[in-house]
């Protein structure tokens, strides 16, 4: 088994670079002091994100491929959230010397697959030893002549819309933490005791955690359709919606019944996780309220789905991939006290939505 | 004393962001999912570099300020080495929870001072906990309509030229390792026994190691003057010159007497380091050959000065900051064996330049 300490940096790069996408905006790729990327409209969008082992991923669950996919996804989502099209990225990778070379080449393949739908290139990087795995990616995008879609542009009367999956990543993490799904994932679904192929569904949730697949094209479509604000949902819907509300000086009211399809997908996993974690009456196990509470927590507070939240002027025909999930109101308009009301409400109410909510601090 | 674990990420960012330069190319600064930078000629140059504690710096020698300066310098040097003008950078910072907040604000100030001469902005970043300090910076530059200056463009007959200091960083590191200079540096020079203010000179060398100051403007001037190749000298002159020679398919011959001024600066430090490390006859101490050997090693093999090496067509009037240090020849032209000759020679000879060279593997 080859470990990275057995090879020089140049030998490792020789194995990685051929795995990486060149990219359609790349004017000069890896190998010199710097790369050169096209920026056709005279501007470019840039964002950086760092992933640290045991903070943002666990090596016992995530392969190198998974970490590459995740790193690409969460960075590309930041570009999409500006309404921009990703053009290229650079990567700093810190790896302990005893890391298997296969982890590093797997990482490169994951990065490449994460970029595949976008045409973005992996145009440069730096590699170093260190005490734990650290991945820092900087990604760039092209606004194609449009204005960037900021967090601060939501206006009262706008429709709030969502693209991507909701709560899947949090559910997938819970399935791993409770041992209900083990990695590596099997390639064939397993039949469970009641005769329903539930584990296939569960594996989709775990995959959403390990290899998030943000709705990158939906970001560009939102920009083209005149979205007034947008952001990447990385820290949970309520928390991130609060950022838009505060930046825009508005209140966001989310529909209590939104995300019906996601709830349906999450329900069997929530029942199993609730039972495995001892929710409910010791004799009877979790009831519907426990299960609904868990689904609600994943939907409203679950992080790392990397879906997109945007606002559109009332009457906008929502582009493909987007679903209306709420309304923008003037800030504090229904509040008769001295303090401004909550920045985000669900069905007009503050965030008390049943069991489980005590674990969440907005 | 405030440590980073006592504050939220947002609270830390509130202290850092005001310290950072906005930058003249910044269209949208920190605070949204991504920043927007101007790229007036429809392209941009991008490079990334990572610094890991105990690999690239030592926290007992380098303050947060020093690490910020160093991180900015070595990244900006990569942009200058393309003949580009730096426009903006983003930073990923991994800090253990027990790091003092002052380290982080010092880092931000160092980053700002490192950028000050360029007008580049610090437009975004990410902050995470982790087991050791890791700094990853991605920097961008504007070619102002010029072609990027690659490593592969040197042609036989070109003049080889150098900008910046040579060997200072390696000498500064040796002064720290031998305990001849201690940090933090005093603000006033100290008089030594022979009545000469040598330690003032030594502190300049240590400063060159802790806070490299690359000749950034010289990179742009070289691009304007038609440099045929250029690179940032980070791994030692011979090793980096070898990269240009191989990429260009040429041989580079460096003048044996080049860098006379740097040798003069280095000589008193070399004498002291040679004595402190027991070079020379046990009774007599180091002789001139030992001292010259050490100076030679710092000049030819010392890393991290982040000077620039470039080639210019014969007859070019070298721009400000550049000194001729050699010639480009056709590869292997003086070699009568089957193998190609060495890619880099000094005064026409291979790399055997006296004592100390056994420690260097080209």
């Amino acid at each position: 088994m080859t470990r990275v300490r057995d090879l020089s940096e140049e030998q490792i790069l020789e194995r990685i670079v051929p795995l990486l996408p060149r990219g359609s905006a790349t004017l000069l790729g890896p190998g010199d002091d710097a790369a050169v990327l096209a920026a056709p409209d005279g501007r470019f969008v840039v964002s950086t994100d760092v992933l640290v082992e045991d903070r943002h991923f666990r090596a016992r669950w995530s392969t190198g491929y998974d970490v590459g996919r995740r790193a690409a996804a969460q960075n590309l989502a930041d570009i999409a959230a500006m309404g921009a099209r990703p053009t290229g990225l650079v990567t700093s990778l810190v790896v302990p010397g005893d890391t298997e070379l296969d982890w590093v080449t797997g990482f490169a393949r994951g990065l490449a697959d994460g970029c595949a739908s976008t045409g973005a290139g992996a145009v440069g990087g730096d590699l170093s030893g260190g005490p734990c795995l650290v991945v820092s990616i900087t990604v760039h995008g092209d606004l194609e002549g449009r204005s960037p879609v900021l967090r601060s542009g939501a206006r009262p009367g706008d429709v709030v819309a969502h693209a991507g999956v909701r709560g899947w990543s949090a559910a997938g993490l819970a399935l791993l933490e409770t041992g209900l799904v083990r990695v590596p994932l099997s390639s064939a679904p397993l039949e469970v005791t009641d005769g329903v192929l539930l584990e296939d569904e569960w594996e989709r949730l775990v995959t959403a955690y390990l290899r998030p697949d943000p709705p990158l094209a939906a970001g560009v479509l939102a920009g083209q359709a005149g979205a007034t604000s947008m952001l990447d949902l990385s820290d949970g819907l309520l928390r991130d919606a609060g950022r838009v509300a505060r930046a825009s000086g508005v209140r966001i009211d989310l529909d209590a019944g939104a995300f019906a399809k996601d709830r349906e997908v999450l329900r069997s996993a929530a029942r199993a996780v609730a039972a495995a974690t001892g929710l409910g009456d010791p004799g009877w196990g979790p009831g519907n309220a426990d299960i609904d509470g868990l689904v609600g927590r994943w939907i409203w507070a679950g992080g790392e789905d990397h879906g997109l939240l945007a606002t559109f002027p009332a009457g906008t025909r929502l582009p493909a991939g987007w679903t209306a999930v709420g309304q923008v109101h003037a800030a504090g308009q229904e509040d008769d006290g001295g303090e401004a009301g909550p920045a985000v409400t669900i069905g007009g109410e503050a965030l008390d939505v049943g069991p489980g909510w005590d674990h969440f601090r907005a």
Side-chain angles (χ1 to χ4, degrees), chain A:
Chain A
M1 181 185 298
T2 308
R3 299 190 184 272
V4 299
R5 77 156 75 83
D6 302 327
L7 298 173
S8 69
E9 180 176 351
E10 273 156 24
Q11 288 173 314
I12 297 170
L13 291 178
E14 279 170 15
R15 319 246 179 144
I16 294 177
V17 171
L19 303 173
L20 298 174
R22 176 167 159 50
S24 52
T26 305
L27 302 174
L28 178 70
D32 218 293
D33 287 315
V36 184
L37 279 170
D41 81 352
R43 305 166 297 170
F44 63 96
V45 175
V46 55
S47 178
T48 196
D49 254 332
V50 65
L51 294 177
V52 180
E53 183 180 2
D54 293 333
R55 303 246 167 187
H56 302 96
F57 65 90
R58 294 170 206 181
R60 75 173 187 278
W61 288 338
S62 295
T63 63
Y65 179 85
D66 294 334
V67 175
R69 282 287 294 265
R70 167 183 285 270
Q74 75 178 50
N75 274 281
L76 293 166
D78 282 326
I79 298 303
M82 304 298 281
R85 193 179 298 282
T87 52
L89 55 80
V90 294
T91 308
S92 283
L93 187 60
V94 178
V95 285
D98 62 357
T99 305
E100 291 172 28
L101 182 64
D102 284 353
W103 194 97
V104 180
T105 54
F107 173 85
R109 273 189 285 265
L111 199 64
D113 284 355
C115 290
S117 72
T118 67
V123 300
D126 195 13
L127 187 64
S128 171
C132 74
L133 292 159
V134 178
V135 179
S136 174
I137 289 188
T138 303
V139 64
H140 306 89
D142 176 19
L143 286 161
E144 302 175 323
R146 295 183 298 274
S147 293
V149 184
L150 308 186
R151 298 177 178 188
S152 53
R155 295 292 168 259
D158 285 354
V159 172
V160 180
H162 177 269
V165 297
R166 258 293 71 222
W168 290 33
S169 180
L173 177 58
L175 288 167
L176 286 170
E177 284 178 333
T178 51
L180 288 162
V181 174
R182 293 175 197 282
V183 283
L185 299 179
S186 64
S187 53
L190 298 173
E191 201 167 348
V192 293
T193 47
D194 60 358
V196 184
L197 293 176
L198 287 179
E199 294 196 4
D200 184 36
E201 199 91 294
W202 295 1
E203 292 197 358
R204 288 169 65 199
L205 303 176
V206 171
T207 301
Y209 166 72
L210 294 174
R211 304 171 187 172
D213 187 19
L216 301 173
V220 174
L221 292 174
Q224 290 168 340
T228 52
S229 74
M230 182 155 50
L231 95 173
D232 165 38
L233 292 171
S234 53
D235 293 339
L237 179 56
L238 289 174
R239 199 165 167 184
D240 285 327
R243 292 180 169 136
V244 171
R246 281 188 297 274
S248 301
V250 298
R251 178 170 68 82
I252 287 180
D253 185 46
L254 298 165
D255 302 339
F259 308 108
K261 201 171 158 191
D262 292 302
R263 285 169 199 276
E264 198 178 308
V265 172
L266 296 172
R267 196 160 173 86
S268 95
R271 183 183 297 114
V273 168
T277 55
L279 285 185
D281 180 277
W284 290 92
N288 279 338
D290 302 303
I291 295 165
D292 290 345
L294 200 51
V295 169
R297 198 157 74 223
W298 290 341
I299 292 280
W300 301 116
E304 302 195 325
D305 280 319
H306 297 292
L308 297 171
L309 191 75
T311 54
F312 295 87
T316 302
R317 188 191 168 90
L318 295 182
W322 290 91
T323 307
V325 297
Q327 290 287 331
V328 179
H329 298 279
Q333 67 181 9
E334 296 171 28
D335 181 58
D336 54 0
E339 295 278 306
V344 182
T345 52
I346 298 173
E349 305 284 321
L351 311 185
D352 182 14
V353 291
W357 282 98
D358 50 337
H359 296 293
F360 174 67
R361 294 179 299 155

